[in-house]
Amino acid sequence: MVKTVQIEDLYHFESLASPTYNLMGNKLLYVQTKMVRESDNYISSIHLYDLNKKVDEEIIQNGSLNIEPKWAGKDKGFYYISNKNGSKQIYYYDFLNRIVKQLTFAPTGVLDFEVNPVGKYLFYLTQMNKVTEDKAFITTRAFYKANNHGLIEDDDHLRKLWVYGIDDGSSKYLTSVNHGFEGRKAFTISPDGKKLVFKSKIKEGDDFNFAEELRLLVLNENCSKIVQNESLTNEFSKNGTFSDPCFSKDGAFLGFLGNENAYKNSNQSKVYIYDFNTKKVLDFCAKKDMQAFDSCVSDFHQNNTNQLLQWNEKLSCFVFVVSEDGKVCLYSANPEDNKIWKVTDGKEHIQDFTINQESGNIAIVVSRPDLPVGLFERRVSGEQLELDVGIRNQEADYIFAKYKSFEFENSEGGKVPCFFALPPSLKNGDKIPLVLDIHGGPHAMHGYTFHHEVQVLAAKQMAVLLVNPRGSLGYGQDFADGVVGKYGQGDYRDLMLAVDKVLKLFPVVDQTKIFVTGGSYGGFMTNWIVGHTNRFKRAATQRSISNFVSMSGTSDIGYWFNTSESGGFNILQPRKLWEESPIAYINNVKTPTLVLHSDQDLRCPIEQGQQWFVALKTLGIPTKFVQFFNESHELSRSGKPSNRCKRLSEIINCFVEDNYFNY
C-alpha cells in the first residue's frame, strides 16, 4: 500500500551518520538513529557494513545513544561515545572477544574525541559544567548562558582537552579549547601522533571579541608533556574564527575552515590551507565566493559528527562540504597546484562523509526530498552506488512531495531562489491552500533535502513554498549580507514576490487560503509579515523574535547578535532595534496567529513569544499559545519526539480547522 508522510512517521524513518572506513577500506562503521515512542527519546546503534560481502551487522545496540565510532589500531576494535550509563563517555568494542569496556568517567561527560594514530592514546574534550539551581548564581560575564546547556560559570566557558592513556587508563589535562560558532571539530591530531591543532580564543576574557586562532601543540613521546605551544594563524589573521582543522597524511599541510574577518553572523565559511614548509596560509580556496559549510535546513538528520573537511591521500587533496544553490555537495582542493574542482553536483544534501584512503572512494550520507537518507559510495570514477544497509528501503511504500525549483528576479535585479512542493497525491480540479514556510538563521538555506515538516504539510493537501530570500547562505557573500541592518525590508519583499509569482504559475492554489509559518528568524519574519500585510489567512509563529530590544538582554547571543545583524546597533540604541522589531507594528495585525515556544529556549527566549501573544490578545486577534516544557531552541530538530509531533499537529490544525481558535 502506497502511503504519504504523516506526523507519526517520525517514529518510522531512521537516519544515518558518521560512516568511517577501516584501514583496508573494505568495511564501514556507521550510526543509525531512531525515535522511540515508549521512552520518548532517541536511540542509536552502531553498524558494521562489509563492502565485499555486502553484509550489514548491528554491533552496538543498548537502548541509548551510541555515536561517533572510530577504528582502533589494526582494526581490532573501535572506540565510540555512549550515554548508556547517563553521561556521554568513551567506550571500546573488542571484535575478537565481542566485549565492551567503558574508558572514561569524566564528571561532565565527553563532547568529542580523536584516536592517536600511533594507537596508545586518545584525546578528548569534556563538556562545560551544568550549573545546579540549589544556590545563587553569580557572574561577571555577558556570555553567561547557552541554549541547550543553561547557565555557565565564569571559569567554565571553554572545553577542556585531555589525553587518555590506553595502556594505563590515565587521564591528563592538556589545555582549554574554544568550541564556538560554526564547525564540527575543534581539534585534530597529526598523522605521527605528536602534534595537536586546536581552536583557541585570542581574548578569552572579552565576551565581545570572538577572534580565534588555531594553535599547535607539540607533545613529547608519551604525550605527557607539552614541548611547544604556538599560534599557526595569528600572523594571518588576528580577527577571524576557524574550525575543522585537518592534516594531510604527510603532515605537510593543514586544511581548515573559517573566515579571516571579524566575526559576523553572515560571514561565509571559507577553506584555508596552512603550509608547514613556508609557514604561510594558502587562501586560493577562500577567494572562491562559496559557503564551505552545511547550511541546509532539515528537521530529520541526527548525530552527524565527521569533519566537514578531510584529506584524500589517494588524490592528494582536501575534500570539503559546500552549500550552493540549494545543494550540499563536495569540492576538492589540491594544495600543491592550487586547483579546486567539484566532486559531486547532485540535487541532494550530503550530510556526512568519509574517505577511503586506499582507493580514494568516498562514503556519503545523502538525503533528498524523496529520500530520507541513504548511504552511498562515490567512486573515484564518478560512479555513485547506494549501499545495501539495513534501512535502505525504509521509504519503499511512500510517495513524497517533489520539489520544483524557481529563481525569480526582484525589483532591484537580484535573484529570489525558491522551491515549491505540491501534494504527492493531488486530485485534479481540487483547489489547495499554500503554506509559506520560512527558514531560520536568517543565514541558512532551504535545499534539496528530506524535510519531514514539508512532507507532512504536502500530505495534508497543502502546497508548500520554501524561499531563500536575501540573507540566505549558498548564494555568495553579498547575498548573505543583503539582510544585515535591513531586517523586514528586502527580505520581506523577496518573500512576497515569490508568493505572487507562485500564485500566478499555479492556479491550483486557493488564493483565499494562504498561510505562513517559520521558526527563529522565520518566526521573526512571520510576525513581521502579519504586521505588514493581511493577505495571509492564518499564521503560526515558532520560537520567534518579536522585540529586539528585550531580546538583547535575554537571549544567550542577544548582546552581540543584534549588533551584528542590525548593522552595528546594540541595546544602547534601542530606537533602531525597536524599529526592526515586529511588535512595533502590532497595531496593524489582523491575522489569527498560533504562537509556539519552548520554556528553555535561550536563543529566542520564551518572553518573545509571550509578548507577541499578549499583544494579540490585547488587540482581540484570535490567537493561541502553546508552551513546550523542558525544550530548547532545537525543539523541531531534536526535541522529545512527542513534543515534535504535538508541535506539528498544532500547526496543521491551525491551518485546516475552521474552529481552531474557538475555545
Side-chain angles (χ1 to χ4, degrees):
M1 179 180 175
V2 177
K3 299 177 285 188
T4 55
V5 179
Q6 302 300 313
I7 295 174
E8 296 291 310
D9 284 323
L10 272 177
Y11 298 107
H12 169 75
F13 295 120
E14 301 182 26
S15 64
L16 304 177
S18 307
T20 177
Y21 285 102
N22 64 346
L23 285 174
M24 295 179 62
N26 61 352
K27 294 180 180 179
L28 275 170
L29 289 168
Y30 70 90
V31 173
Q32 183 171 319
T33 301
K34 64 180 178 181
M35 302 177 210
V36 180
R37 192 188 307 271
E38 292 74 20
S39 61
D40 200 16
N41 213 334
Y42 302 76
I43 65 172
S44 56
S45 55
I46 297 177
H47 290 240
L48 176 68
Y49 184 77
D50 191 310
L51 292 155
N52 293 333
K53 298 178 181 178
K54 296 181 173 53
V55 174
D56 186 55
E57 181 184 2
E58 185 177 68
I59 303 295
I60 302 292
Q61 170 58 280
N62 50 33
S64 61
L65 279 180
N66 303 281
I67 61 174
E68 201 169 350
K70 299 181 189 298
W71 291 90
K74 299 181 181 179
D75 297 342
K76 292 182 178 180
F78 62 90
Y79 305 96
Y80 63 100
I81 292 176
S82 177
N83 66 354
K84 61 177 288 189
N85 291 324
S87 64
K88 291 181 179 178
Q89 303 292 343
I90 301 173
Y91 292 75
Y92 176 70
Y93 179 83
D94 184 326
F95 278 117
L96 179 62
N97 299 305
R98 289 186 172 266
I99 59 172
V100 171
K101 179 183 179 183
Q102 182 174 345
L103 302 183
T104 62
F105 297 85
T108 59
V110 173
L111 175 68
D112 192 14
F113 78 106
E114 294 292 340
V115 181
N116 191 314
V118 301
K120 293 185 178 180
Y121 302 95
L122 303 178
F123 299 92
Y124 65 94
L125 284 178
T126 49
Q127 307 264 21
M128 293 185 291
N129 284 310
K130 284 275 189 182
V131 175
T132 59
E133 297 180 1
D134 58 351
K135 60 181 180 180
F137 174 76
I138 302 172
T139 188
T140 61
R141 305 290 295 264
F143 177 56
Y144 66 90
K145 57 185 174 181
N147 182 63
N148 234 15
H149 176 80
L151 298 172
I152 305 170
E153 298 280 9
D154 276 4
D155 60 351
D156 193 37
H157 282 63
L158 299 177
R159 316 300 169 97
K160 295 177 174 61
L161 180 62
W162 304 75
V163 57
Y164 173 86
I166 294 173
D167 290 342
D168 61 10
S170 62
S171 288
K172 179 180 175 61
Y173 171 74
L174 287 176
T175 188
S176 60
V177 174
N178 199 34
H179 202 284
F181 304 109
E182 294 182 340
R184 288 185 187 164
K185 296 294 181 181
F187 75 101
T188 192
I189 307 165
S190 64
D192 62 8
K194 297 179 181 179
K195 303 181 186 72
L196 282 166
V197 172
F198 65 98
K199 287 161 58 89
S200 179
K201 190 171 180 182
I202 294 176
K203 294 185 177 180
E204 164 50 22
D206 188 348
D207 291 337
F208 294 84
N209 186 331
F210 305 108
E212 293 176 327
E213 60 186 342
L214 291 180
R215 297 195 65 84
L216 172 70
L217 286 186
V218 179
L219 305 174
N220 64 354
E221 197 65 33
N222 62 6
C223 296
S224 62
K225 184 178 179 182
I226 297 173
V227 177
Q228 183 179 339
N229 185 344
E230 65 179 11
S231 174
L232 293 181
T233 57
N234 216 337
E235 288 189 14
F236 166 65
S237 170
K238 292 182 173 63
N239 296 308
T241 56
F242 307 107
S243 72
D244 287 81
C246 174
F247 283 93
S248 61
K249 190 172 182 180
D250 61 5
F253 299 100
L254 180 85
F256 57 96
L257 304 178
N259 195 298
E260 73 271 24
N261 298 316
Y263 183 78
K264 269 196 324 183
N265 199 42
S266 62
N267 281 354
Q268 288 186 140
S269 181
K270 304 177 182 180
V271 176
Y272 302 91
I273 299 172
Y274 183 85
D275 186 333
F276 282 95
N277 293 321
T278 64
K279 299 187 182 304
K280 299 291 184 182
V281 173
L282 309 177
D283 63 353
F284 66 95
C285 289
K287 294 175 182 177
K288 301 281 284 187
D289 191 15
M290 60 188 183
Q291 165 71 343
F293 191 76
D294 181 357
S295 299
C296 189
V297 174
S298 174
D299 59 359
F300 175 66
H301 61 270
Q302 302 285 336
N303 300 318
N304 296 310
T305 58
N306 289 355
Q307 283 183 271
L308 295 167
L309 178 145
Q310 301 175 33
W311 177 254
N312 188 328
E313 175 64 13
K314 185 70 175 181
L315 301 181
S316 300
C317 62
F318 288 103
V319 180
F320 51 96
V321 164
V322 170
S323 296
E324 61 177 10
D325 301 326
K327 299 174 289 188
V328 180
C329 50
L330 297 179
Y331 273 72
S332 288
N334 189 321
E336 296 284 2
D337 58 15
N338 292 2
K339 287 186 177 179
I340 305 171
W341 66 97
K342 187 177 289 189
V343 178
T344 69
D345 194 28
K347 292 181 177 180
E348 60 191 15
H349 177 189
I350 295 179
Q351 299 175 347
D352 226 341
F353 74 99
T354 188
I355 299 172
N356 186 330
Q357 301 299 336
E358 290 295 313
S359 66
N361 294 338
I362 307 175
I364 54 178
V365 176
V366 171
S367 179
R368 305 183 190 115
D370 59 350
L371 176 68
V373 71
L375 183 59
F376 293 77
E377 187 170 54
R378 175 85 178 186
R379 304 286 173 80
V380 173
S381 64
E383 183 182 22
Q384 189 163 303
L385 302 174
E386 186 172 6
L387 303 181
D388 192 16
V389 296
I391 62 169
R392 178 179 180 182
N393 297 315
Q394 66 174 335
E395 75 282 359
D397 297 330
Y398 288 81
I399 54 172
F400 300 91
K402 296 183 178 180
Y403 288 8
K404 300 177 185 292
S405 63
F406 298 95
E407 187 170 288
F408 305 120
E409 184 176 313
N410 60 33
S411 59
E412 295 105 306
K415 58 188 176 184
V416 183
C418 57
F419 300 93
F420 184 70
L422 284 167
S425 56
L426 182 63
K427 298 176 183 178
N428 291 332
D430 285 356
K431 285 278 191 176
I432 59 173
L434 171 68
V435 178
L436 173 62
D437 199 332
I438 308 169
H439 68 61
H443 310 295
M445 177 186 79
H446 279 307
Y448 294 100
T449 192
F450 179 78
H451 198 159
H452 174 258
E453 177 178 313
V454 173
Q455 293 295 330
V456 171
L457 290 170
K460 298 296 183 182
Q461 294 299 296
M462 289 181 267
V464 185
L465 177 60
L466 309 169
V467 186
N468 285 326
R470 66 192 77 181
S472 303
L473 284 165
Y475 302 91
Q477 187 62 65
D478 288 345
F479 195 88
D481 287 336
V483 74
V484 176
K486 305 171 185 176
Y487 271 39
Q489 299 179 40
D491 48 353
Y492 168 73
R493 294 193 296 272
D494 288 351
L495 290 163
M496 295 303 99
L497 171 71
V499 171
D500 291 338
K501 294 288 188 181
V502 163
L503 290 177
K504 289 180 180 179
L505 286 173
F506 295 92
V508 69
V509 174
D510 185 345
Q511 299 196 27
T512 68
K513 293 183 178 179
I514 308 175
F515 306 106
V516 61
T517 189
S520 196
Y521 164 80
F524 156 84
M525 187 51 72
T526 298
N527 296 342
W528 184 271
I529 284 171
V530 298
H532 288 79
T533 180
N534 298 323
R535 70 186 302 184
F536 291 88
K537 184 176 181 180
R538 286 180 180 175
T541 183
Q542 309 169 55
R543 57 186 187 280
S544 73
I545 300 166
S546 64
N547 186 342
F548 280 121
V549 181
S550 63
M551 180 187 169
S552 294
T554 56
S555 166
D556 63 340
I557 63 173
Y559 74 93
W560 63 262
F561 175 86
N562 291 348
T563 305
S564 172
E565 290 297 294
S566 67
F569 294 93
N570 60 25
I571 198 170
L572 303 181
Q573 294 92 26
R575 184 180 298 277
K576 171 63 175 176
L577 297 180
W578 177 257
E579 290 171 355
E580 290 193 358
S581 299
I583 204 162
Y585 309 92
I586 190 67
N587 287 310
N588 300 331
V589 178
K590 299 290 189 292
T591 308
T593 301
L594 166 66
V595 181
L596 303 103
H597 227 110
S598 298
D599 69 334
Q600 299 301 311
D601 189 339
L602 299 183
R603 186 62 37 85
C604 296
I606 194 169
E607 57 90 13
Q608 294 287 304
Q610 290 167 336
Q611 286 189 61
W612 194 249
F613 172 69
V614 170
L616 292 173
K617 291 294 293 182
T618 303
L619 283 171
I621 304 298
T623 184
K624 184 181 289 189
F625 185 75
V626 179
Q627 176 172 332
F628 294 94
F629 295 99
N630 300 311
E631 296 287 3
S632 73
H633 197 65
E634 307 307 310
L635 167 63
S636 65
R637 295 176 284 264
S638 58
K640 284 190 175 296
S642 62
N643 284 336
R644 292 179 63 179
C645 290
K646 177 63 174 174
R647 164 194 160 271
L648 199 44
S649 68
E650 289 291 338
I651 293 171
I652 290 170
N653 291 340
C654 172
F655 293 165
V656 302
E657 292 183 2
D658 291 338
N659 298 320
Y660 179 75
F661 292 105
N662 295 341
Y663 56 92

